[in-house]
Amino acid sequence: MGHALTLKPGTAWCDAWARARSAVPEAVADGGPAGTGGTGGGSAGAGDDVPRVRNRWADAWHADGDPLPATTPVDGTPIAGPPRLDAATAHQAVRAALDAHRAWRHVPLPERRARVSAALDALEAHRELLALLLVWEIGKPWKAAQQDVDRAIDGVRWYVERIGPMMDGRSPLPGPVSNIASWNYPMSVLVHAMLVQALAGNAVVAKTPTDGGLACLTVACALCVREGLPFTLVSGSGGELSEALVRAPEIGCVSFVGGRDAGARVATAVADLGKRHILEQEGLNCWGVWEFGDWDALTPLLRKTFDYAKQRCTAYPRFVVQRTLFADFLAAYLPAVRSLRFGHPLAVAAPGDPLPELDFGPLINAGKARELADLTADAIGRGAVPLHRGMLADGRFLPGQDTSAYLPPTTLLGPPPSSPLHHAEPFGPVDTIVLADTEAELLAAMNASNGALVATLSTDDQGLYDRLAPQVRAFKTGHGKPRSRGDRDELFGGFGGSWRGAFVGGELLVRAVTEGPADERLPGNFPDYRLQPEGERERRAA
């Protein structure tokens, strides 16, 4: 029997919190952490202060709002919770953001580039702190957390170098951009977008996700506003703040990343107001297998689909397999799922060991883990066949650790139509496999959710791929390889219910948050038209 795992020294939540207070004391309130953030490391005394972050609005940090209690998904110990503002204060924040916008839009582009570059340098100097906060707040393994930070920095540097031609003939929007984003990619999606929006001449408003990423976003925002960037960062419930962050006349554009239910409410509001919008929503991304035989190459790709427990908008939770190939597919699939490594992202066998390279850690919270476990049990009760059911004992955990937010990988064959797993994205390490006998069945199964962001079709027949790929309702369709959101000049959008408003990526992201010719029609999926980017049909098949 091996030695019990231990928390890597210097990586506890209290260590991360102390470093955050030292780095940006103006944004993080004085006071000790609410817990040690590590099983076996003791607990905070009864007299310790609860950690608190501040909201940023009207060019100042405010110790306002009603903080929600919060715990880390890593081991269930307390961490800083979002200081929720009321609707009246949110309206004040938006009005102040408009004032900042009116000043910032006249700042010359060279100065905007210099300030954004300085902010990127500051983020890079605090890279490890930002990544460690991501581990504790949203459960990302260490390598994935570092990648999230790096993609934000490197991606925005690409825009800094190329923003000049992108702004030719264009001007900032009439009002600030309002960002409402999900918790899973605080840096590479949200902070990345905020920095590009500011680079293009807009003031920026962002709501911290309720489920996680608060401290990381606050530290990042504080580092950016020190360099003079016009950022507003507030916390609160979507229902309470939507009137200010979505419907307020001061807002020039709404950028949303999240689920279809919340996205539909935002879409209704912006459609009524005719407001510029970018709404990225979920879809059931599918991987089809048809007339295929390169199984050795498929196994490592299948394992990669479990990165971050499939808590990604471009995850592949559904495989649609030709029935006659199912035995071969299973022989390639099961070794991949059985080799997965999951557990506490900061647990090591000895203090000097490097942090573990895991495929995934916890889900975002214990409630989500229970929800998916219940959905899985329900699907099996309705007739789905369990092909693989991992066990918590397979994970890497600290002795006595709370593991309520962890879910072992699970694979089901044939989820019945009455099960939510048949048509909805699980957003967790639960795969479903559907068998098809005809090409028509393959396409129907791959298009089960009325549009998706990405898809893949593995086939040895190039002609068959060329014929079927255009019929898959996904913005990007890969030939035998997974597609992703992309970086730099790679465009991104969605088909059907997975996207509303302007498409983004590369030059399109700048066009989405600026104004061009009066008769301009932005590429995107709008209530009155859908315009595919020029050449994107070819890119989809790349």
Side-chain angles (χ1 to χ4, degrees):
M1 180 177 296
H3 295 292
L5 298 178
T6 185
L7 189 70
K8 175 80 172 177
T11 66
W13 164 255
C14 60
D15 298 317
W17 180 253
R19 290 170 60 184
R21 283 190 297 157
S22 175
V24 290
E26 69 274 24
V28 176
D30 293 334
T36 62
T39 304
S43 60
D48 283 355
D49 295 329
V50 173
R52 173 151 185 161
V53 300
R54 295 185 170 105
N55 291 297
R56 170 78 185 186
W57 57 277
D59 203 28
W61 292 97
H62 300 268
D64 53 9
D66 180 22
L68 271 180
T71 58
T72 170
V74 172
D75 65 6
T77 55
I79 59 174
R84 299 172 300 170
L85 293 181
D86 56 28
T89 308
H91 277 287
Q92 291 182 40
V94 169
R95 285 192 290 271
L98 177 60
D99 293 337
H101 179 83
R102 287 170 172 166
W104 179 253
R105 72 194 310 267
H106 296 296
V107 172
L109 179 58
E111 183 176 346
R112 298 201 306 264
R113 292 177 63 178
R115 293 191 187 184
V116 170
S117 293
L120 293 171
D121 291 343
L123 294 175
E124 192 161 23
H126 291 83
R127 171 181 181 260
E128 292 204 353
L129 168 59
L130 295 167
L132 185 57
L133 290 169
L134 288 180
V135 173
W136 283 113
E137 293 191 290
I138 61 174
K140 283 203 169 183
W142 178 241
K143 183 177 179 181
Q146 290 177 303
Q147 290 172 342
D148 194 10
V149 178
D150 292 343
R151 285 181 60 193
I153 297 169
D154 296 342
V156 178
R157 289 199 192 281
W158 184 89
Y159 280 93
V160 169
E161 294 171 0
R162 294 163 177 80
I163 189 63
M166 293 184 185
M167 289 297 295
D168 285 347
R170 309 194 67 79
S171 60
L173 297 172
V177 181
S178 177
N179 294 267
I180 304 170
S182 59
W183 45 264
N184 52 344
Y185 283 90
M187 293 296 298
S188 62
V189 173
L190 180 52
V191 171
H192 177 281
M194 294 169 66
L195 286 166
V196 176
Q197 291 160 12
L199 182 64
N202 302 290
V204 178
V205 181
K207 187 182 90 67
T208 59
T210 302
D211 287 330
L214 169 72
C216 177
L217 280 171
T218 303
V219 171
C221 185
L223 295 172
C224 292
V225 300
R226 283 181 179 178
E227 305 302 334
L229 298 187
F231 282 3
T232 294
L233 186 67
V234 297
S235 292
S237 71
E240 183 81 3
L241 302 192
S242 63
E243 193 68 25
L245 301 185
V246 176
R247 302 188 66 92
E250 294 90 344
I251 297 297
C253 175
V254 176
S255 177
F256 170 88
V257 180
R260 290 196 179 186
D261 290 344
R265 292 191 291 271
V266 173
T268 299
V270 295
D272 291 345
L273 299 168
K275 195 183 294 288
R276 182 76 64 89
H277 57 284
I278 307 162
L279 310 182
E280 176 187 332
Q281 301 170 125
E282 63 191 3
L284 186 61
N285 307 314
C286 295
W287 191 311
V289 180
W290 197 264
E291 301 297 339
F292 177 75
D294 192 4
W295 303 109
D296 289 341
L298 185 62
T299 297
L301 297 177
L302 293 173
R303 177 172 177 172
K304 288 290 292 180
T305 67
F306 278 89
D307 282 356
Y308 193 36
K310 302 200 178 226
Q311 296 177 110
R312 298 178 291 118
C313 64
T314 54
Y316 286 84
R318 167 67 52 80
F319 294 89
V320 183
V321 181
Q322 187 174 4
R323 188 181 301 272
T324 55
L325 298 181
F326 179 56
D328 294 325
F329 174 82
L330 206 57
Y333 176 90
L334 289 177
V337 72
R338 288 169 178 164
S339 66
L340 294 170
R341 287 167 54 88
F342 68 96
H344 193 304
L346 304 172
V348 294
D353 288 351
L355 290 170
E357 293 195 14
L358 303 177
D359 295 289
F360 60 91
L363 300 193
I364 186 58
N365 53 51
K368 180 62 178 180
R370 287 193 301 271
E371 173 194 328
L372 271 184
D374 290 345
L375 286 175
T376 299
D378 177 74
I380 293 172
R382 295 172 184 265
V385 178
L387 296 178
H388 175 80
R389 303 187 78 174
M391 301 175 61
L392 277 178
D394 299 330
R396 303 176 77 259
F397 300 110
L398 300 178
Q401 176 194 326
D402 183 328
T403 59
S404 58
Y406 293 81
L407 186 72
T410 302
T411 308
L412 303 180
L413 173 66
S418 59
S419 166
L421 292 179
H422 179 80
H423 53 78
E425 181 182 21
F427 229 63
V430 177
D431 274 351
T432 55
I433 299 175
V434 173
L435 303 183
D437 293 299
T438 65
E439 292 179 5
E441 288 182 0
L442 172 78
L443 291 170
M446 293 188 70
N447 294 329
S449 67
N450 181 30
L453 303 174
V454 297
T456 291
L457 181 59
S458 288
T459 178
D460 298 333
D461 187 335
Q462 182 66 48
L464 184 143
Y465 175 83
D466 293 340
R467 179 165 50 83
L468 294 184
Q471 301 179 64
V472 177
R473 289 181 56 77
F475 189 79
K476 298 179 181 181
T477 302
H479 187 179
K481 296 181 180 179
R483 300 302 305 270
S484 67
R485 202 175 197 279
D487 292 301
R488 300 173 175 85
D489 60 350
E490 188 171 355
L491 308 183
F492 192 54
F495 271 26
S498 67
W499 195 281
R500 300 171 190 266
F503 295 147
V504 296
E507 184 180 357
L508 290 191
L509 176 54
V510 174
R511 291 175 64 184
V513 295
T514 55
E515 292 190 315
D519 59 349
E520 181 179 46
R521 283 160 55 94
L522 292 174
N525 186 18
F526 293 93
D528 54 343
Y529 76 88
R530 175 186 174 85
L531 180 61
Q532 196 77 353
E534 184 178 352
E536 180 55 26
R537 178 63 64 183
E538 288 75 19
R539 290 190 184 94
R540 287 183 66 222

